[in-house]
Amino acid sequence: MRRRLPATVIVTLGLVLSSPRAAAQSSPEEHAAAPSDAEKQARAKARIDDARRAYQAGELAYQAGDFAAASENFSDAERLIPTPHAGYWLAMSLDRAGRIPEAIARFERLLADPNAGKIGPEKLEGARARLEELKKTPGKITLSTRPEGATVTVDGEKHAGVTPVLLELNPGRHKLSFALQGHDGLEVELDVPAGSKGAHTLDLLESVVPAPLPPKKARRLTATPRGHDVAITKPPSTTGAWIVAGAAGAATVAGGIFGVMALSAKSKYDGAPSDDHADDVARNSMLADICFGSALTLGLASLVMFTTSDGNEAPTSSGRIRPVRHLAVTPLLSPQGGGARAGFAF
């Protein structure tokens, strides 16, 4: 069935091509080279004939079910002379051809046209309803990973199978997670247009394997002649000795500070004797003595700890418990002085 373009389109086109205002805006050179009225009419008629032929070819292709050819012909007709009729059938052809995103764009363009009512109320209402249906069409996305075999989680729900997978997702934004043993997990957000089709390949990075921990030192078994004790010992640790030595150093520094403060207070007392200066001398001297005493005791304790083994009570072959040497250090403080007490057990 052949359709004729509305006569109003032809008349409007002729008015635009022969508009005096358009001719007045052109340059003198363009005006001098402007085609005659007869040439304008011939060009307009040729354009109209081309649009009509493209429109009729689109109708024949649509009726034959060749929607790809129909969309091409209706697109040519709509490009030569834009009309709501050509726009409507172009949108319908794209829809039947499965080109959903393009069909949505053409339906939206048609419904935004002030002259859309010329296609008739029935077609106009059908175009609106079809547009709403198309906007709900899921998108089909093929997802692959390098390497393959990753599990896929879509919006918190695990998808059956492993990559590569074909997902049908509703229009909108979705969060996807990929997991593969020996590789870092990957999370992406994907915007899915209605009716879209596409493929994406994602790279998964290999997990960084931490360096192996050094093997623990094996306990050493000391063999003795039959009838003597057999003790399981551990290599000595110097951690505690270093801590005590550090404390001795800190006490030495503190004693020096309080000693300087005591000398300063003594100098002030000699220049201007007073109870406050006397109290300062006594207090700083006592603190200096405490610190130096503690430093001496802690220093001796650390020396002993460096030269002895660290351990617990050791079992013997006879079932007895033989204590292992250890050192105990106890700080001592009093209003008259301070220091520390060290005890060494064998």
Side-chain angles (χ1 to χ4, degrees), residues 5-326:
L5 295 173
T8 54
V9 176
I10 301 173
V11 174
T12 302
L13 181 60
L15 290 175
V16 172
L17 292 176
S18 61
S19 171
R21 181 176 180 182
Q25 293 177 348
S26 61
S27 63
E29 293 80 2
E30 293 175 345
H31 182 71
S36 62
D37 291 341
E39 291 175 339
K40 293 178 183 178
Q41 293 176 0
R43 292 180 183 178
K45 184 177 182 304
R47 188 181 186 89
I48 293 170
D49 291 341
D50 290 341
R52 183 182 291 113
R53 280 192 292 271
Y55 191 93
Q56 292 171 351
E59 286 184 320
L60 294 175
Y62 191 91
Q63 293 170 5
D66 189 354
F67 302 111
S71 61
E72 292 181 5
N73 286 289
F74 284 125
S75 179
D76 290 340
E78 205 264 347
R79 174 178 53 81
L80 290 168
I81 301 180
T83 65
H85 293 83
Y88 172 79
W89 288 110
L90 173 58
M92 292 294 293
S93 300
L94 292 170
D95 183 5
R96 299 295 297 274
R99 296 160 63 177
I100 306 302
E102 297 174 73
I104 291 175
R106 282 294 173 173
F107 275 122
E108 290 177 340
R109 180 173 174 179
L110 170 67
L111 296 175
D113 188 350
N115 298 318
K118 292 181 179 180
I119 65 175
E122 184 177 350
K123 289 182 180 178
L124 190 62
E125 186 60 30
R128 288 196 182 97
R130 185 56 184 162
L131 176 60
E132 293 303 317
E133 292 178 5
L134 291 177
K135 286 183 176 180
K136 300 176 183 178
T137 306
K140 296 182 179 180
I141 311 297
T142 300
L143 293 174
S144 302
T145 57
R146 283 191 292 259
E148 298 180 346
T151 59
V152 183
T153 302
V154 181
D155 298 327
E157 295 185 4
K158 189 174 182 179
H159 185 271
V162 295
T163 57
V165 293
L166 175 62
L167 301 179
E168 289 194 9
L169 304 175
N170 292 327
R173 176 168 293 187
H174 299 272
K175 177 178 284 187
L176 284 72
S177 302
F178 300 85
L180 180 63
Q181 186 175 6
H183 294 75
D184 293 339
L186 178 65
E187 289 188 355
V188 297
E189 288 189 349
L190 185 65
D191 286 323
V192 181
S196 60
K197 296 179 181 179
H200 299 276
T201 301
L202 304 169
D203 292 318
L204 301 179
L205 301 178
E206 291 187 8
S207 301
V208 178
V209 180
L213 297 175
K216 294 183 178 180
K217 293 182 179 180
R219 291 186 175 183
R220 185 176 70 255
L221 179 65
T222 303
T224 61
R226 187 178 182 85
H228 292 263
D229 293 342
V230 177
I232 297 177
T233 61
K234 295 185 296 182
S237 172
T238 59
T239 302
W242 282 112
I243 294 175
V244 175
T252 302
V253 173
I257 294 174
F258 286 118
V260 172
M261 294 174 63
L263 293 175
S264 177
K266 179 66 169 59
S267 177
K268 293 180 181 179
Y269 178 81
D270 292 340
S274 66
D275 293 339
D276 291 338
H277 290 163
D279 291 341
D280 290 342
V281 173
R283 181 177 61 254
N284 291 329
S285 298
M286 180 186 67
L287 292 175
D289 292 340
I290 291 174
C291 291
F292 284 130
S294 299
L296 179 59
T297 304
L298 293 173
L300 292 174
S302 66
L303 180 61
V304 174
M305 293 174 70
F306 275 121
T307 58
T308 59
S309 299
D310 183 19
N312 299 318
E313 294 179 338
T316 66
S317 59
S318 60
R320 294 179 292 106
I321 300 298
R322 178 169 56 83
V324 180
R325 295 172 297 174
H326 65 277

